[in-house]
Amino acid sequence: MMPMQGIRPCNAARGLRWLPALGVLLAVLVLAAGCRRESAEQALRRDVASLQAAIEARDAGAVAKFLADDFIGDDGLDRDGARRLAAIHFMRNASVGVTTGPLDIRLQGDDHATVRTTVVLTGGSGRLLPDSGRVHAVTLGWRREGGDWRVTSLSRESP
């Protein structure tokens, strides 16, 4: 074999010396993006919207997943009673609509919150106009369990 004389490394090989630095920079950017956490209020707003979607989907089981084990509602309604009540309403109404007013969120630390809003509940046969509609002023107590918010209490009144 003949020795290779006068052959220089190609420009591509010289450019590879920056590859480790580029890899480190990319890793730092990925980690920084992954470290961004949504705020407690953002997570709560997301879960309120998901609860609303579960109601509109007429899914009593999904609604119950948002209720804490120690949930208490008006007139002593517990978690299982709330799930059963939701199932009855969902069976009676072919469609269920939920429209909320602005959310007034009061955080108590990172793990407890109170949400006040007005809610218009509609239900009916699924035609263009609902057969029934009710407006309520609602106050929900929430507690973060793990990474998810759960409803601990609900009180409502007709304005």
Side-chain angles (χ1 to χ4, degrees), residues 45-121:
R45 286 183 184 279
R46 181 200 64 225
D47 286 350
V48 168
S50 296
L51 173 59
Q52 181 176 345
I55 293 169
E56 290 178 338
R58 299 173 50 235
D59 186 343
V63 170
K65 288 180 183 177
F66 284 96
L67 304 180
D69 289 339
D70 59 346
F71 169 82
I72 190 75
D74 289 338
D75 300 322
L77 186 69
D78 66 3
R79 182 177 190 268
D80 192 49
R83 183 196 53 76
R84 286 193 311 261
L85 184 61
I88 289 168
H89 282 290
F90 297 158
M91 285 188 292
R92 286 183 182 167
N93 295 288
S95 68
V96 175
V98 180
T99 303
T100 62
L103 301 179
D104 176 19
I105 297 177
R106 307 288 170 129
L107 292 169
Q108 293 99 35
D110 283 338
D111 296 329
H112 290 85
T114 302
V115 177
R116 290 182 177 87
T117 188
T118 55
V119 176
V120 177
L121 297 172

Side-chain angles (χ1 to χ4, degrees), residues 3 19 36-37 58 64 69 78 81 132 156:
L19 192 60
R36 261 193 271 163
R37 268 183 49 190
R58 299 173 50 235
D69 289 339
D78 66 3
S132 64
R156 64 184 171 81

